[in-house]
């Protein structure tokens, strides 16, 4: 079998959905059996962890970072014999640590995805160890082509990339919810407020990418002198919005570093 997923929860499940748009030659597994329903929905196979190690040529590792060592320990002999490509998404764990947990020299691609990959709008940074061939990487990127943006990043920067795009959807959800709360306070019905807020975030983000303009310039363009938008910007600045966003990224980065220790 081409791909396997050991751990298929929020992040692994989102990647499995993106991968299914290019191949269904894969199987997933988890601990509790919750992923059996996901396998039927995708559809793809459901195997045991050992069966995935024995049968799959490329294995996504979708378990939490602190579980990785214990999950790979019983698979060491079969991994050493077969040398499948391992694709880790674990925050904070390096390609060298994954190979160490696997107990052998083995090709490892480290990815840092985010959950919008499930709808083809994700951001995924990746790096590889020396055993990943050009063909392996090319084939992997091709199979992941329906996941959204895929960008090569030096391994030393992956924790920082993770702090903006891996965890970023959570910050953006908070922002959307807060915008909607403000609008509800001003009388807009909740459902409409959420829809307006989410669509505005998408539109503004797409405008940044499409025009290549600095966000500060785009902001200036919608703030007329003495107008209402600049009054809103002033309120955000007064409440430390810019500093709060910076601190969120830095706090996540520092926590990623701790997870790898
Ligand atoms: N969530 C994100 O936005 C995000 C973004 C970037 C990277 N990541 C990384 O993605 C990884 C998974 O995070 P997540 O948020 O998807 O966590 P999650 O939803 O808790 O999923 C973890 C998965 O691992 C399975 N699992 C746990 N122990 C296992 C075992 N012994 N054998 C087989 N499967 C096992 C779980 O199965 P059960 O449900 O049955 O316990 C579940 O399917 C983490 O390393 C995280 O750093 C996450």
């Amino acid at each position: 079998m081409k791909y396997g997923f050991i751990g298929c929860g929020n992040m692994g499940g989102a990647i499995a959905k993106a991968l299914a748009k290019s191949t269904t030659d894969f199987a997933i597994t988890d601990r509790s059996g919750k992923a059996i329903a996901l396998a039927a929905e995708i559809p793809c196979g459901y195997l045991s962890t050992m069966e995935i190690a024995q049968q799959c040529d490329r294995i996504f590792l979708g378990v939490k970072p602190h579980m990785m060592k214990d999950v790979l320990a019983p698979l060491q002999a079969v991994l050493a014999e077969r040398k499948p490509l391992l694709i880790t998404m674990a925050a904070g764990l390096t390609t060298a640590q994954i190979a160490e947990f696997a107990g052998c020299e083995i090709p490892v691609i480290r990815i840092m995805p985010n959950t919008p990959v499930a709808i083809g709008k994700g951001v995924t940074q990746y790096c590889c160890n020396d055993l990943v061939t050009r063909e392996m990487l090319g084939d992997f990127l091709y199979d992941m082509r329906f996941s959204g943006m895929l960008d090569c990043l030096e391994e030393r920067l992956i924790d920082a990339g993770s702090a903006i795009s891996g965890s970023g959807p959570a910050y953006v959800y908070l922002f959307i919810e807060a915008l909607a709360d403000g609008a509800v306070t001003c009388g807009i019905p909740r459902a409409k407020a959420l829809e307006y807020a989410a669509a505005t975030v998408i539109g503004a983000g797409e405008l940044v990418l499409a025009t290549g303009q600095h966000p500060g310039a785009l902001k200036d363009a919608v703030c007329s002198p003495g107008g209402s938008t600049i009054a809103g910007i002033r309120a955000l600045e007064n409440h430390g919005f810019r500093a709060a966003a910076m601190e969120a990224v830095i706090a996540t980065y520092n926590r990623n570093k701790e997870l790898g220790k």
Side-chain angles (χ1 to χ4, degrees), residues 6-12 29-34 49 62-65 67 71 89-91 112-115 166:
I6 297 178
C8 208
N10 288 317
M11 197 60 253
T29 197
D30 64 353
R31 190 173 37 179
S32 61
K34 274 186 283 184
T49 304
V63 300
K64 294 282 188 194
M67 294 174 172
V71 167
M89 62 193 79
M112 187 39 64
N114 63 13
T115 46

Side-chain angles (χ1 to χ4, degrees), residues 48-68:
S48 71
T49 304
M50 184 54 86
E51 285 168 335
I52 291 213
Q54 288 166 338
Q55 296 176 29
C56 299
D57 297 330
R58 297 122 208 251
I59 301 175
F60 283 93
L61 303 172
V63 300
K64 294 282 188 194
H66 69 276
M67 294 174 172
M68 192 66 80

Side-chain angles (χ1 to χ4, degrees), residues 22-122:
S22 51
T23 175
T24 48
D25 186 13
F26 68 89
I28 63 178
T29 197
D30 64 353
R31 190 173 37 179
S32 61
K34 274 186 283 184
I36 293 173
L38 178 65
E41 179 196 327
I42 284 179
C44 65
Y46 184 90
L47 294 171
S48 71
T49 304
M50 184 54 86
E51 285 168 335
I52 291 213
Q54 288 166 338
Q55 296 176 29
C56 299
D57 297 330
R58 297 122 208 251
I59 301 175
F60 283 93
L61 303 172
V63 300
K64 294 282 188 194
H66 69 276
M67 294 174 172
M68 192 66 80
K69 191 174 182 184
D70 290 346
V71 167
L72 291 180
L75 309 177
Q76 283 190 352
V78 65
L79 293 176
E81 190 195 322
R82 297 191 63 239
K83 302 277 175 83
L85 170 64
L86 300 181
I87 304 150
T88 173
M89 62 193 79
L93 294 182
T94 63
T95 51
Q97 284 171 302
I98 295 295
E100 186 191 324
F101 296 161
C104 59
E105 297 206 334
I106 192 163
V108 182
I109 298 179
R110 178 176 175 192
I111 59 172
M112 187 39 64
N114 63 13
T115 46
V117 298
I119 55 163
K121 299 280 184 184

